[in-house]
Structures are given as C-alpha cells and as structure tokens.
Amino acid sequence: MSRLRVLLGLLALSVLASCGGDPKFKRYNGPEVTQILVKKEERRMYLLHNKRVLESYDISLGFAPTGDKVKEGDGRTPEGLYFIDRLNPQSRFHLSLGINYPNQRDLAEARAAGVDPGGDIFIHGRPKKFRNGIEDWTAGCIAVTDEEIEEIYAMVEVGTPIWIGK
C-alpha cells in the first residue's frame, strides 16, 4: 500500500509541475520563421516561412513613423535589413525581441552626419495606455499586443532576418 501512495504522490507532483511556469511563454511547433517583413505604411508585420505568410499583425511604430531612423530621439523606426539579435523575457513591454540596430551602415551614416544613431530597437508588447493600437507611440520600436508578442516570441529565433520597409 505504501508503494502505491508513493507512486500516486509522484504522479501528483509530476502533474502539478507540468502545470507551472509563466503563461506568457508559449510553445510553437509549426514551420520555422525564416524571415520577418515589416511594411511601415501599411502598419503590418508578417512572419514568413520562405515566401509563405505564417502570421500577420497590426503594428504601432515610432512616434515619427515616416522615413528612416537617422539619430537617437528622432522617433523613427529604422528601415533596411536587420536581424533579431536577442530575446528579452524581462522587457518593460511584456516580452521583446531585439533588432540589431544600429548596424554597420547605420553607424557609418550617423558618423558622417555627426549624430548618435541611438539603439535599443525592439519588437515588443504594448502598455495599457496604448492598447487601442491606433497611434504610433514608440521611440522607434515595433509594437504589437501582449498576446501577439507572446506568439511571436515563441515563433522567432535569434538570427532571423527582418526587413523593415516603407
């Protein structure tokens, strides 16, 4: 009888352990996201497997959404080819994926213009103040809902290319 109790106790602990964890960390078992495409004028972001769209999202951008990011504080979202270079589970905006801005091209352009290019560009969630998704409010980042960033965080790996265009 005591072996049965031990086995039942272990089974119960196993079930409880599998239910734990932070619910913001999702699992993804679908096709690999091979690239991200951001169309600033459309306010849309697409996760693709080769040329097939896996998911698409409405986005908010920097508070000055037109044009390429030139310097720190300009409120613009950068344009061009970048890569996801880090995942941030402790983001102020729920979860976030880092974009490798500034890259070498951005640094050279900023140097030539005598300005600081800035940095810390991410794809991240939205604080309550901006949950309506209507306005552009970031300092140059790409914002989606908290539920969407949970999905994106599970799907996208470090090294994934991201093309940000008009």
Side-chain angles (χ1 to χ4, degrees), residues 3-51:
R3 280 188 180 174
L4 180 60
R5 282 186 181 174
V6 170
L7 286 174
L8 288 174
L10 289 173
L11 179 62
L13 285 174
S14 175
V15 168
L16 287 174
S18 69
C19 293
D22 194 326
K24 72 181 180 181
F25 297 107
K26 310 289 184 208
R27 291 186 186 267
Y28 175 68
N29 289 336
E32 175 188 10
V33 175
T34 57
Q35 60 185 313
I36 301 169
L37 175 63
V38 175
K39 295 187 175 186
K40 289 170 57 174
E41 289 178 357
E42 295 177 17
R43 300 297 188 282
R44 295 289 292 170
M45 180 173 68
Y46 303 89
L47 304 186
L48 299 119
H49 174 75
N50 299 322
K51 294 187 179 195

Side-chain angles (χ1 to χ4, degrees), residues 66-117:
T66 57
D68 190 10
K69 184 162 194 64
V70 176
K71 63 181 181 175
E72 183 173 25
D74 65 9
R76 294 181 177 155
T77 302
E79 296 175 354
L81 176 62
Y82 297 93
F83 295 89
I84 300 301
D85 65 354
R86 63 202 178 279
L87 302 177
N88 180 7
Q90 302 298 321
S91 174
R92 289 186 329 162
F93 302 109
H94 197 54
L95 294 169
S96 61
L97 290 80
I99 297 171
N100 74 321
Y101 174 89
N103 61 23
Q104 293 302 316
R105 177 186 51 90
D106 300 315
L107 290 169
E109 288 174 358
R111 226 176 284 118
V115 297
D116 180 343

